[in-house]
Amino acid sequence: MTSFMNLNSFIQLYLTMLLTIPGSISAEHALALLAGVVITLLGALVYTFIKGRRLSKTLSTIDSESKYIFDRISDGLIVLDSNFCYVYANKKIGEITGRDPKTLIGKNVWHEFPDAIGGQTYRAFNKAFTEQQYVYNLDYFEPLNLWQENHIYPSPEGLTVFIRDVSGQKRAEVELVQSEQKYKSLFELNPLPMWVLDADTLNFLDVNKAAVNHYGYSKQEFLGMNAVQIRPDEEKERFLKLSRPIDDAPRTTGVWKHLKKDGTV
């Protein structure tokens, strides 16, 4: 238990340092960094715990308190022997795979999950064991609809692998991309001229096709201009004044005249 107590002390010290140093990062950023640090430390800790023992005897040498800790961590943990047969699988692995972890013991991982053969995780496991070096990989396993991060720690007797389910995060990323594509299409295909301005400089950041067609400037020309340049002289001062709102409340600014590239209004 000493190593686990030291890990707990490290976590407390790490957070205290990050959150009390003036000008340091936010609590959210600190926790995000900590997650990566802890998974690496915990993986090294378990690797050290197992190293030097015969993996076939690992279950009998892990005390009940350590098993309790392994079952409470938020990531999946598996131990494989040199034939890639399960020696240990924690409770989280059961939740991820929908299998009772006890039923996996003694079985070959590729026999149990044959669809993974030849994939990124298959290659990562073999690379880690063959080269005897730590390997990280991110993979999607379609049969379980699972995005997984694998932290793979080798030894001459087999592998210790931490598996993090990042499916929720990846789905959120996909939804964000789809949402951005949707609104990008609404912007690009809108029949009315539209643009995006830098709030400080009023430079054009993007314009749609309708704006290009209506004003006569190419998109590249627009991106080298600011919104003042399409205003007639008599309206520039009023535009600059109204372009600096004092709050975020919507306002009606009236009717404006715009200059096209050919000088017409």
Side-chain angles (χ1 to χ4, degrees), residues 123-139:
R123 294 193 296 272
F125 277 27
N126 281 281
K127 176 181 175 67
F129 184 68
T130 302
E131 300 181 7
Q132 286 295 293
Q133 66 178 29
Y134 163 79
V135 173
Y136 163 84
N137 83 298
L138 174 67
D139 195 9

Side-chain angles (χ1 to χ4, degrees), residues 31-97:
L31 289 173
L33 289 174
L34 178 62
V37 172
V38 168
I39 191 65
T40 301
L41 287 176
L42 196 53
L45 178 62
V46 175
Y47 168 76
T48 302
F49 183 89
I50 292 171
K51 188 177 182 181
R53 295 181 170 87
R54 291 179 60 83
L55 288 185
S56 60
K57 297 180 180 179
T58 296
L59 286 179
S60 63
T61 59
I62 297 178
D63 58 63
S64 60
E65 195 167 19
S66 295
K67 288 181 182 178
Y68 175 77
I69 292 173
F70 292 160
D71 275 337
R72 287 179 64 84
I73 62 177
S74 59
D75 297 297
L77 168 63
I78 63 174
V79 179
L80 306 176
D81 66 17
S82 59
N83 294 314
F84 288 1
C85 293
Y86 288 94
V87 175
Y88 176 75
N90 72 347
K91 182 179 178 181
K92 185 64 177 181
I93 289 297
E95 296 174 7
I96 292 174
T97 63

Side-chain angles (χ1 to χ4, degrees), residues 154-173:
S155 76
E157 293 82 18
L159 299 175
T160 301
V161 186
F162 279 88
I163 302 173
R164 173 172 294 179
D165 181 354
V166 293
S167 302
Q169 173 186 330
K170 297 301 291 187
R171 282 193 288 269
E173 291 175 2

Side-chain angles (χ1 to χ4, degrees), residues 243-258:
S243 66
R244 301 288 187 264
I246 59 176
D247 55 46
D248 294 329
R251 296 177 300 161
T252 300
T253 59
V255 179
W256 295 86
K257 296 178 181 179
H258 290 177

